[in-house]
Short mmCIF file of all heavy atoms in Angstrom, two decimals:
data_model
loop_
_atom_site.label_atom_id
_atom_site.label_comp_id
_atom_site.label_asym_id
_atom_site.label_seq_id
_atom_site.Cartn_x
_atom_site.Cartn_y
_atom_site.Cartn_z
N MET A 861 -26.40 -2.99 -2.07
CA MET A 861 -25.15 -2.20 -1.99
C MET A 861 -24.03 -3.09 -1.45
O MET A 861 -24.23 -3.86 -0.52
CB MET A 861 -25.37 -1.00 -1.06
CG MET A 861 -24.37 0.11 -1.23
SD MET A 861 -24.35 0.95 -2.84
CE MET A 861 -26.08 1.36 -3.06
N GLU A 862 -22.88 -2.99 -2.10
CA GLU A 862 -21.72 -3.77 -1.68
C GLU A 862 -20.79 -2.87 -0.87
O GLU A 862 -20.81 -1.65 -0.99
CB GLU A 862 -20.94 -4.29 -2.89
CG GLU A 862 -21.78 -4.87 -3.99
CD GLU A 862 -22.37 -6.22 -3.61
OE1 GLU A 862 -21.74 -6.94 -2.82
OE2 GLU A 862 -23.47 -6.52 -4.08
N ASN A 863 -19.93 -3.49 -0.08
CA ASN A 863 -18.97 -2.76 0.73
C ASN A 863 -17.58 -3.36 0.48
O ASN A 863 -17.42 -4.57 0.50
CB ASN A 863 -19.34 -2.88 2.20
CG ASN A 863 -18.56 -1.91 3.07
OD1 ASN A 863 -18.39 -0.75 2.72
ND2 ASN A 863 -18.09 -2.39 4.19
N LEU A 864 -16.61 -2.48 0.19
CA LEU A 864 -15.26 -2.94 -0.09
C LEU A 864 -14.27 -2.13 0.73
O LEU A 864 -14.40 -0.91 0.83
CB LEU A 864 -14.94 -2.73 -1.58
CG LEU A 864 -13.49 -2.96 -2.02
CD1 LEU A 864 -13.14 -4.44 -1.99
CD2 LEU A 864 -13.24 -2.39 -3.41
N THR A 865 -13.28 -2.81 1.31
CA THR A 865 -12.18 -2.11 1.96
C THR A 865 -10.93 -2.34 1.13
O THR A 865 -10.57 -3.48 0.85
CB THR A 865 -11.95 -2.61 3.40
OG1 THR A 865 -13.14 -2.38 4.16
CG2 THR A 865 -10.80 -1.86 4.05
N LEU A 866 -10.28 -1.26 0.71
CA LEU A 866 -9.02 -1.35 -0.03
C LEU A 866 -7.91 -0.81 0.86
O LEU A 866 -8.05 0.28 1.44
CB LEU A 866 -9.06 -0.48 -1.29
CG LEU A 866 -9.92 -0.91 -2.46
CD1 LEU A 866 -9.99 0.22 -3.48
CD2 LEU A 866 -9.36 -2.16 -3.11
N ALA A 867 -6.82 -1.54 1.00
CA ALA A 867 -5.63 -1.00 1.66
C ALA A 867 -4.91 -0.15 0.62
O ALA A 867 -4.79 -0.55 -0.54
CB ALA A 867 -4.73 -2.14 2.13
N ILE A 868 -4.48 1.04 1.01
CA ILE A 868 -3.87 1.97 0.05
C ILE A 868 -2.49 2.38 0.51
O ILE A 868 -2.29 2.78 1.65
CB ILE A 868 -4.76 3.21 -0.13
CG1 ILE A 868 -6.14 2.76 -0.63
CG2 ILE A 868 -4.13 4.20 -1.10
CD1 ILE A 868 -7.09 3.88 -0.89
N LYS A 869 -1.54 2.27 -0.41
CA LYS A 869 -0.18 2.71 -0.12
C LYS A 869 0.11 3.98 -0.90
O LYS A 869 -0.36 4.15 -2.02
CB LYS A 869 0.83 1.64 -0.56
CG LYS A 869 0.97 0.51 0.43
CD LYS A 869 2.17 -0.37 0.05
CE LYS A 869 2.07 -1.74 0.70
NZ LYS A 869 3.00 -2.68 0.08
N GLY A 870 0.90 4.87 -0.30
CA GLY A 870 1.35 6.05 -1.01
C GLY A 870 0.68 7.34 -0.59
O GLY A 870 1.05 8.40 -1.08
N MET A 871 -0.29 7.27 0.33
CA MET A 871 -0.93 8.49 0.80
C MET A 871 -0.09 9.06 1.94
O MET A 871 0.20 8.37 2.91
CB MET A 871 -2.35 8.21 1.32
CG MET A 871 -3.32 7.72 0.27
SD MET A 871 -5.03 7.75 0.86
CE MET A 871 -4.95 6.61 2.24
N THR A 872 0.28 10.34 1.79
CA THR A 872 1.11 10.93 2.85
C THR A 872 0.48 12.15 3.51
O THR A 872 1.00 12.63 4.51
CB THR A 872 2.49 11.33 2.29
OG1 THR A 872 2.28 12.20 1.17
CG2 THR A 872 3.27 10.12 1.82
N CYS A 873 -0.58 12.68 2.94
CA CYS A 873 -1.17 13.87 3.55
C CYS A 873 -2.67 13.88 3.31
O CYS A 873 -3.19 13.03 2.58
CB CYS A 873 -0.54 15.14 2.98
SG CYS A 873 -1.05 15.46 1.27
N MET A 874 -3.35 14.86 3.89
CA MET A 874 -4.80 14.91 3.72
C MET A 874 -5.18 15.25 2.28
O MET A 874 -6.30 14.95 1.84
CB MET A 874 -5.42 15.92 4.69
CG MET A 874 -5.38 15.45 6.15
SD MET A 874 -5.97 13.75 6.41
CE MET A 874 -7.73 14.00 6.17
N GLY A 875 -4.25 15.86 1.54
CA GLY A 875 -4.52 16.11 0.12
C GLY A 875 -4.63 14.80 -0.64
O GLY A 875 -5.48 14.65 -1.53
N CYS A 876 -3.76 13.88 -0.29
CA CYS A 876 -3.83 12.55 -0.90
C CYS A 876 -5.17 11.89 -0.57
O CYS A 876 -5.79 11.27 -1.44
CB CYS A 876 -2.70 11.66 -0.37
SG CYS A 876 -1.04 12.27 -0.66
N VAL A 877 -5.57 12.01 0.67
CA VAL A 877 -6.85 11.43 1.09
C VAL A 877 -7.99 12.03 0.26
O VAL A 877 -8.87 11.31 -0.21
CB VAL A 877 -7.08 11.70 2.61
CG1 VAL A 877 -8.50 11.33 3.03
CG2 VAL A 877 -6.05 10.92 3.43
N ALA A 878 -7.93 13.35 0.06
CA ALA A 878 -8.96 14.02 -0.73
C ALA A 878 -8.94 13.54 -2.17
O ALA A 878 -10.00 13.34 -2.78
CB ALA A 878 -8.76 15.54 -0.67
N SER A 879 -7.73 13.33 -2.72
CA SER A 879 -7.62 12.85 -4.11
C SER A 879 -8.24 11.47 -4.26
O SER A 879 -8.99 11.21 -5.21
CB SER A 879 -6.15 12.77 -4.52
OG SER A 879 -5.56 14.04 -4.50
N VAL A 880 -7.92 10.58 -3.34
CA VAL A 880 -8.45 9.22 -3.43
C VAL A 880 -9.96 9.23 -3.26
O VAL A 880 -10.69 8.55 -3.99
CB VAL A 880 -7.78 8.31 -2.36
CG1 VAL A 880 -8.46 6.94 -2.31
CG2 VAL A 880 -6.29 8.14 -2.67
N THR A 881 -10.43 10.04 -2.32
CA THR A 881 -11.88 10.16 -2.11
C THR A 881 -12.56 10.64 -3.39
O THR A 881 -13.60 10.09 -3.81
CB THR A 881 -12.18 11.15 -0.97
OG1 THR A 881 -11.49 10.73 0.21
CG2 THR A 881 -13.67 11.22 -0.67
N ARG A 882 -11.93 11.63 -4.03
CA ARG A 882 -12.54 12.21 -5.24
C ARG A 882 -12.62 11.18 -6.37
O ARG A 882 -13.65 11.05 -7.02
CB ARG A 882 -11.74 13.44 -5.68
CG ARG A 882 -12.42 14.26 -6.77
CD ARG A 882 -11.66 15.56 -7.07
NE ARG A 882 -10.29 15.30 -7.50
CZ ARG A 882 -9.21 15.64 -6.81
NH1 ARG A 882 -9.33 16.28 -5.67
NH2 ARG A 882 -8.01 15.36 -7.25
N VAL A 883 -11.51 10.47 -6.62
CA VAL A 883 -11.55 9.51 -7.74
C VAL A 883 -12.54 8.39 -7.47
O VAL A 883 -13.21 7.91 -8.39
CB VAL A 883 -10.17 8.91 -8.11
CG1 VAL A 883 -9.23 9.98 -8.58
CG2 VAL A 883 -9.58 8.09 -6.99
N LEU A 884 -12.65 7.97 -6.22
CA LEU A 884 -13.61 6.91 -5.92
C LEU A 884 -15.04 7.40 -6.12
O LEU A 884 -15.85 6.73 -6.77
CB LEU A 884 -13.41 6.39 -4.49
CG LEU A 884 -12.17 5.51 -4.31
CD1 LEU A 884 -11.91 5.27 -2.83
CD2 LEU A 884 -12.31 4.18 -5.04
N LYS A 885 -15.33 8.59 -5.58
CA LYS A 885 -16.70 9.10 -5.69
C LYS A 885 -17.06 9.45 -7.14
O LYS A 885 -18.24 9.50 -7.49
CB LYS A 885 -16.89 10.33 -4.79
CG LYS A 885 -16.97 9.93 -3.31
CD LYS A 885 -17.35 11.11 -2.43
CE LYS A 885 -17.57 10.67 -0.98
NZ LYS A 885 -17.86 11.83 -0.10
N ALA A 886 -16.03 9.68 -7.99
CA ALA A 886 -16.28 10.00 -9.39
C ALA A 886 -16.53 8.74 -10.21
O ALA A 886 -16.91 8.81 -11.38
CB ALA A 886 -15.10 10.77 -9.98
N THR A 887 -16.30 7.58 -9.62
CA THR A 887 -16.49 6.32 -10.33
C THR A 887 -17.97 5.94 -10.35
O THR A 887 -18.63 5.97 -9.31
CB THR A 887 -15.66 5.21 -9.65
OG1 THR A 887 -14.28 5.59 -9.65
CG2 THR A 887 -15.81 3.88 -10.38
N ALA A 888 -18.46 5.61 -11.54
CA ALA A 888 -19.87 5.24 -11.68
C ALA A 888 -20.21 4.09 -10.75
O ALA A 888 -19.46 3.11 -10.67
CB ALA A 888 -20.16 4.84 -13.13
N GLY A 889 -21.29 4.23 -10.03
CA GLY A 889 -21.74 3.16 -9.14
C GLY A 889 -21.33 3.35 -7.70
O GLY A 889 -21.84 2.65 -6.81
N VAL A 890 -20.39 4.28 -7.44
CA VAL A 890 -19.95 4.49 -6.06
C VAL A 890 -20.95 5.39 -5.34
O VAL A 890 -21.24 6.49 -5.78
CB VAL A 890 -18.53 5.10 -6.00
CG1 VAL A 890 -18.18 5.50 -4.56
CG2 VAL A 890 -17.52 4.10 -6.54
N LYS A 891 -21.45 4.86 -4.23
CA LYS A 891 -22.43 5.60 -3.45
C LYS A 891 -21.73 6.50 -2.45
O LYS A 891 -22.12 7.64 -2.22
CB LYS A 891 -23.34 4.59 -2.73
CG LYS A 891 -24.29 5.17 -1.73
CD LYS A 891 -25.70 5.25 -2.32
CE LYS A 891 -26.66 6.05 -1.45
NZ LYS A 891 -26.59 5.72 -0.03
N ASP A 892 -20.67 5.97 -1.80
CA ASP A 892 -19.95 6.75 -0.80
C ASP A 892 -18.57 6.12 -0.60
O ASP A 892 -18.37 4.93 -0.88
CB ASP A 892 -20.72 6.76 0.52
CG ASP A 892 -20.40 8.00 1.35
OD1 ASP A 892 -19.59 8.84 0.90
OD2 ASP A 892 -20.95 8.11 2.46
N ALA A 893 -17.63 6.93 -0.12
CA ALA A 893 -16.29 6.43 0.16
C ALA A 893 -15.74 7.17 1.37
O ALA A 893 -15.88 8.37 1.49
CB ALA A 893 -15.38 6.67 -1.05
N GLN A 894 -15.15 6.40 2.29
CA GLN A 894 -14.48 6.98 3.45
C GLN A 894 -13.01 6.59 3.36
O GLN A 894 -12.67 5.41 3.39
CB GLN A 894 -15.05 6.45 4.79
CG GLN A 894 -16.54 6.74 5.00
CD GLN A 894 -17.44 5.78 4.25
OE1 GLN A 894 -17.14 4.61 4.15
NE2 GLN A 894 -18.52 6.29 3.70
N VAL A 895 -12.15 7.58 3.25
CA VAL A 895 -10.71 7.33 3.10
C VAL A 895 -10.00 7.87 4.34
O VAL A 895 -10.30 8.97 4.80
CB VAL A 895 -10.17 8.00 1.83
CG1 VAL A 895 -8.69 7.67 1.64
CG2 VAL A 895 -10.96 7.55 0.60
N THR A 896 -9.09 7.06 4.88
CA THR A 896 -8.33 7.48 6.07
C THR A 896 -6.85 7.21 5.87
O THR A 896 -6.46 6.29 5.14
CB THR A 896 -8.81 6.72 7.33
OG1 THR A 896 -8.76 5.31 7.08
CG2 THR A 896 -10.24 7.10 7.70
N LEU A 897 -6.03 8.04 6.52
CA LEU A 897 -4.57 7.84 6.50
C LEU A 897 -4.16 6.78 7.51
O LEU A 897 -3.18 6.07 7.32
CB LEU A 897 -3.86 9.14 6.89
CG LEU A 897 -3.48 10.15 5.81
CD1 LEU A 897 -2.74 11.31 6.46
CD2 LEU A 897 -2.61 9.51 4.74
N GLN A 898 -4.86 6.76 8.63
CA GLN A 898 -4.52 5.88 9.75
C GLN A 898 -5.76 5.16 10.23
O GLN A 898 -6.53 5.73 10.98
CB GLN A 898 -3.92 6.76 10.88
CG GLN A 898 -3.03 6.04 11.86
CD GLN A 898 -1.79 5.45 11.22
OE1 GLN A 898 -1.76 4.24 11.01
NE2 GLN A 898 -0.79 6.25 10.91
N PRO A 899 -6.01 3.94 9.76
CA PRO A 899 -5.18 3.16 8.84
C PRO A 899 -5.29 3.69 7.40
O PRO A 899 -6.26 4.37 7.08
CB PRO A 899 -5.78 1.76 8.95
CG PRO A 899 -7.23 2.00 9.27
CD PRO A 899 -7.24 3.23 10.15
N ALA A 900 -4.32 3.34 6.58
CA ALA A 900 -4.29 3.80 5.19
C ALA A 900 -5.22 2.92 4.37
O ALA A 900 -4.82 1.89 3.82
CB ALA A 900 -2.86 3.72 4.66
N GLN A 901 -6.47 3.35 4.31
CA GLN A 901 -7.44 2.52 3.60
C GLN A 901 -8.61 3.33 3.08
O GLN A 901 -8.80 4.49 3.46
CB GLN A 901 -7.96 1.41 4.52
CG GLN A 901 -8.85 1.93 5.63
CD GLN A 901 -9.40 0.83 6.52
OE1 GLN A 901 -8.84 -0.25 6.61
NE2 GLN A 901 -10.51 1.10 7.17
N ALA A 902 -9.36 2.69 2.21
CA ALA A 902 -10.60 3.28 1.70
C ALA A 902 -11.71 2.26 1.92
O ALA A 902 -11.54 1.08 1.61
CB ALA A 902 -10.47 3.60 0.21
N GLN A 903 -12.81 2.73 2.45
CA GLN A 903 -14.00 1.90 2.54
C GLN A 903 -15.00 2.47 1.55
O GLN A 903 -15.29 3.67 1.56
CB GLN A 903 -14.57 1.93 3.96
CG GLN A 903 -13.69 1.18 4.95
CD GLN A 903 -14.24 1.23 6.34
OE1 GLN A 903 -14.13 2.25 7.02
NE2 GLN A 903 -14.84 0.15 6.77
N VAL A 904 -15.47 1.60 0.67
CA VAL A 904 -16.30 2.05 -0.44
C VAL A 904 -17.63 1.31 -0.44
O VAL A 904 -17.66 0.08 -0.31
CB VAL A 904 -15.59 1.78 -1.79
CG1 VAL A 904 -16.32 2.49 -2.93
CG2 VAL A 904 -14.12 2.22 -1.74
N GLN A 905 -18.70 2.07 -0.56
CA GLN A 905 -20.02 1.48 -0.73
C GLN A 905 -20.41 1.69 -2.19
O GLN A 905 -20.38 2.83 -2.68
CB GLN A 905 -21.06 2.15 0.19
CG GLN A 905 -20.84 1.84 1.68
CD GLN A 905 -19.68 2.61 2.28
OE1 GLN A 905 -19.58 3.81 2.10
NE2 GLN A 905 -18.78 1.93 2.98
N TYR A 906 -20.73 0.61 -2.87
CA TYR A 906 -20.99 0.73 -4.30
C TYR A 906 -22.08 -0.23 -4.76
O TYR A 906 -22.36 -1.23 -4.10
CB TYR A 906 -19.70 0.49 -5.09
CG TYR A 906 -19.16 -0.91 -4.97
CD1 TYR A 906 -19.44 -1.88 -5.95
CD2 TYR A 906 -18.39 -1.30 -3.88
CE1 TYR A 906 -18.96 -3.17 -5.85
CE2 TYR A 906 -17.91 -2.60 -3.76
CZ TYR A 906 -18.19 -3.52 -4.74
OH TYR A 906 -17.74 -4.81 -4.62
N ASP A 907 -22.62 0.08 -5.93
CA ASP A 907 -23.62 -0.76 -6.57
C ASP A 907 -22.89 -1.80 -7.41
O ASP A 907 -22.23 -1.46 -8.39
CB ASP A 907 -24.51 0.13 -7.46
CG ASP A 907 -25.56 -0.66 -8.22
OD1 ASP A 907 -25.54 -1.91 -8.14
OD2 ASP A 907 -26.39 -0.01 -8.88
N GLY A 908 -22.99 -3.04 -7.01
CA GLY A 908 -22.29 -4.12 -7.69
C GLY A 908 -22.73 -4.34 -9.13
O GLY A 908 -22.05 -5.02 -9.90
N ALA A 909 -23.85 -3.75 -9.52
CA ALA A 909 -24.29 -3.86 -10.91
C ALA A 909 -23.58 -2.85 -11.80
O ALA A 909 -23.59 -2.97 -13.02
CB ALA A 909 -25.80 -3.63 -10.99
N GLN A 910 -22.94 -1.84 -11.19
CA GLN A 910 -22.30 -0.78 -11.97
C GLN A 910 -20.79 -0.77 -11.92
O GLN A 910 -20.13 -0.23 -12.80
CB GLN A 910 -22.81 0.60 -11.48
CG GLN A 910 -24.25 0.88 -11.80
CD GLN A 910 -24.60 2.32 -11.44
OE1 GLN A 910 -24.13 3.24 -12.08
NE2 GLN A 910 -25.40 2.48 -10.42
N THR A 911 -20.21 -1.33 -10.85
CA THR A 911 -18.75 -1.37 -10.77
C THR A 911 -18.35 -2.58 -9.94
O THR A 911 -19.19 -3.37 -9.52
CB THR A 911 -18.18 -0.05 -10.20
OG1 THR A 911 -16.77 -0.06 -10.32
CG2 THR A 911 -18.57 0.17 -8.74
N ASN A 912 -17.06 -2.78 -9.76
CA ASN A 912 -16.58 -3.97 -9.06
C ASN A 912 -15.23 -3.66 -8.41
O ASN A 912 -14.62 -2.63 -8.71
CB ASN A 912 -16.46 -5.14 -10.06
CG ASN A 912 -15.57 -4.79 -11.23
OD1 ASN A 912 -14.40 -4.46 -11.05
ND2 ASN A 912 -16.12 -4.83 -12.43
N PRO A 913 -14.76 -4.53 -7.53
CA PRO A 913 -13.50 -4.26 -6.81
C PRO A 913 -12.32 -3.99 -7.74
O PRO A 913 -11.50 -3.11 -7.47
CB PRO A 913 -13.29 -5.54 -5.98
CG PRO A 913 -14.69 -6.00 -5.69
CD PRO A 913 -15.44 -5.72 -6.98
N ALA A 914 -12.21 -4.71 -8.86
CA ALA A 914 -11.08 -4.50 -9.77
C ALA A 914 -11.10 -3.08 -10.35
O ALA A 914 -10.06 -2.43 -10.46
CB ALA A 914 -11.11 -5.54 -10.89
N GLN A 915 -12.29 -2.61 -10.71
CA GLN A 915 -12.42 -1.24 -11.25
C GLN A 915 -12.08 -0.20 -10.19
O GLN A 915 -11.45 0.82 -10.49
CB GLN A 915 -13.85 -1.00 -11.72
CG GLN A 915 -14.04 -1.21 -13.21
CD GLN A 915 -15.48 -0.92 -13.64
OE1 GLN A 915 -16.26 -0.35 -12.89
NE2 GLN A 915 -15.80 -1.33 -14.86
N LEU A 916 -12.52 -0.43 -8.97
CA LEU A 916 -12.28 0.54 -7.89
C LEU A 916 -10.79 0.60 -7.58
O LEU A 916 -10.21 1.67 -7.38
CB LEU A 916 -13.10 0.16 -6.65
CG LEU A 916 -14.62 0.23 -6.90
CD1 LEU A 916 -15.38 -0.40 -5.75
CD2 LEU A 916 -15.06 1.68 -7.11
N LYS A 917 -10.16 -0.57 -7.55
CA LYS A 917 -8.72 -0.64 -7.33
C LYS A 917 -7.98 0.09 -8.46
O LYS A 917 -7.06 0.87 -8.22
CB LYS A 917 -8.32 -2.13 -7.30
CG LYS A 917 -6.87 -2.44 -7.10
CD LYS A 917 -6.71 -3.96 -7.03
CE LYS A 917 -5.28 -4.40 -6.81
NZ LYS A 917 -4.39 -4.08 -7.92
N ALA A 918 -8.42 -0.12 -9.70
CA ALA A 918 -7.78 0.53 -10.85
C ALA A 918 -7.94 2.05 -10.78
O ALA A 918 -7.02 2.80 -11.15
CB ALA A 918 -8.38 -0.01 -12.15
N ALA A 919 -9.09 2.53 -10.31
CA ALA A 919 -9.32 3.97 -10.21
C ALA A 919 -8.32 4.60 -9.24
O ALA A 919 -7.75 5.67 -9.50
CB ALA A 919 -10.75 4.25 -9.76
N VAL A 920 -8.08 3.93 -8.13
CA VAL A 920 -7.13 4.44 -7.14
C VAL A 920 -5.72 4.40 -7.72
O VAL A 920 -4.93 5.35 -7.54
CB VAL A 920 -7.20 3.60 -5.84
CG1 VAL A 920 -6.09 3.99 -4.87
CG2 VAL A 920 -8.57 3.79 -5.17
N GLU A 921 -5.39 3.35 -8.45
CA GLU A 921 -4.05 3.24 -9.00
C GLU A 921 -3.82 4.25 -10.12
O GLU A 921 -2.72 4.80 -10.24
CB GLU A 921 -3.79 1.79 -9.44
CG GLU A 921 -3.79 0.91 -8.20
CD GLU A 921 -3.28 -0.51 -8.42
OE1 GLU A 921 -3.34 -0.99 -9.56
OE2 GLU A 921 -2.82 -1.10 -7.43
N ASP A 922 -4.85 4.54 -10.89
CA ASP A 922 -4.73 5.58 -11.92
C ASP A 922 -4.44 6.94 -11.30
O ASP A 922 -3.85 7.81 -11.93
CB ASP A 922 -6.02 5.67 -12.75
CG ASP A 922 -6.17 4.52 -13.73
OD1 ASP A 922 -5.19 3.77 -13.92
OD2 ASP A 922 -7.26 4.37 -14.31
N ALA A 923 -4.86 7.13 -10.06
CA ALA A 923 -4.62 8.39 -9.36
C ALA A 923 -3.22 8.44 -8.75
O ALA A 923 -2.83 9.44 -8.15
CB ALA A 923 -5.69 8.61 -8.29
N GLY A 924 -2.47 7.34 -8.87
CA GLY A 924 -1.08 7.35 -8.44
C GLY A 924 -0.81 6.67 -7.11
O GLY A 924 0.27 6.84 -6.53
N PHE A 925 -1.76 5.88 -6.64
CA PHE A 925 -1.57 5.18 -5.37
C PHE A 925 -1.65 3.67 -5.61
O PHE A 925 -2.15 3.24 -6.64
CB PHE A 925 -2.65 5.60 -4.36
CG PHE A 925 -2.64 7.10 -4.11
CD1 PHE A 925 -3.45 7.94 -4.87
CD2 PHE A 925 -1.82 7.65 -3.16
CE1 PHE A 925 -3.43 9.31 -4.67
CE2 PHE A 925 -1.79 9.02 -2.95
CZ PHE A 925 -2.60 9.87 -3.70
N GLU A 926 -1.13 2.93 -4.65
CA GLU A 926 -1.20 1.47 -4.75
C GLU A 926 -2.38 0.99 -3.90
O GLU A 926 -2.48 1.37 -2.73
CB GLU A 926 0.07 0.85 -4.16
CG GLU A 926 0.99 0.20 -5.17
CD GLU A 926 2.15 -0.45 -4.45
OE1 GLU A 926 1.98 -1.56 -3.96
OE2 GLU A 926 3.22 0.20 -4.40
N ALA A 927 -3.21 0.16 -4.48
CA ALA A 927 -4.36 -0.34 -3.73
C ALA A 927 -4.39 -1.86 -3.76
O ALA A 927 -4.02 -2.47 -4.76
CB ALA A 927 -5.66 0.20 -4.34
N SER A 928 -4.80 -2.45 -2.65
CA SER A 928 -4.94 -3.90 -2.62
C SER A 928 -6.09 -4.27 -1.70
O SER A 928 -6.39 -3.57 -0.74
CB SER A 928 -3.65 -4.56 -2.14
OG SER A 928 -3.28 -4.03 -0.88
N GLU A 929 -6.74 -5.37 -2.05
CA GLU A 929 -7.80 -5.86 -1.19
C GLU A 929 -7.16 -6.64 -0.08
O GLU A 929 -6.26 -7.44 -0.31
CB GLU A 929 -8.74 -6.78 -1.99
CG GLU A 929 -9.51 -6.03 -3.05
CD GLU A 929 -10.37 -6.98 -3.86
OE1 GLU A 929 -11.22 -7.64 -3.25
OE2 GLU A 929 -10.17 -7.08 -5.07
N PRO A 930 -7.61 -6.45 1.16
CA PRO A 930 -7.07 -7.21 2.28
C PRO A 930 -7.32 -8.69 2.06
O PRO A 930 -8.35 -9.08 1.51
CB PRO A 930 -7.86 -6.71 3.49
CG PRO A 930 -8.50 -5.44 3.06
CD PRO A 930 -8.66 -5.52 1.57
N ALA A 931 -6.37 -9.52 2.47
CA ALA A 931 -6.50 -10.97 2.27
C ALA A 931 -7.72 -11.51 3.01
O ALA A 931 -8.11 -10.96 4.02
CB ALA A 931 -5.25 -11.69 2.76
MO1 LIG B 219 0.23 16.73 -0.53
MO2 LIG B 219 -0.43 14.14 -0.76
O1 LIG B 219 1.11 17.54 -1.97
O2 LIG B 219 0.33 13.74 -2.40
S1 LIG B 219 -1.52 15.72 -1.76
S2 LIG B 219 1.55 14.80 -0.22
#
């Protein structure tokens, strides 16, 4: 299992947090996701054979938020 932290911009309420959590958990290969407003980030546990950081970032962006991997 892999672990990824994405910094997320554009979340302003707990509804946004729920939306990001939902799209991540709906992505094939995602085992679990913890999304927080403070700090504005998502921690994702996923199967590296089924998905990857670029796909997870794209899923969040398709939902209308900006995501980036911490440097
Ligand atoms: Mo509440 Mo967050 O409408 O977009 S879900 S601000």
Side-chain angles (χ1 to χ4, degrees):
M861 199 63 51
E862 315 288 330
N863 192 43
L864 171 72
T865 299
L866 288 170
I868 300 182
K869 281 190 199 165
M871 295 192 298
T872 55
C873 72
M874 290 311 287
C876 300
V877 170
S879 297
V880 172
T881 304
R882 190 174 59 246
V883 297
L884 285 169
K885 287 188 174 176
T887 301
V890 172
K891 172 102 190 314
D892 206 1
Q894 300 79 38
V895 183
T896 54
L897 270 183
Q898 203 62 257
Q901 70 178 23
Q903 289 179 284
V904 191
Q905 291 75 48
Y906 65 96
D907 178 354
Q910 291 188 69
T911 188
N912 56 59
Q915 263 182 13
L916 296 169
K917 179 177 181 294
V920 172
E921 295 191 336
D922 285 349
F925 302 92
E926 249 184 82
S928 55
E929 293 177 60

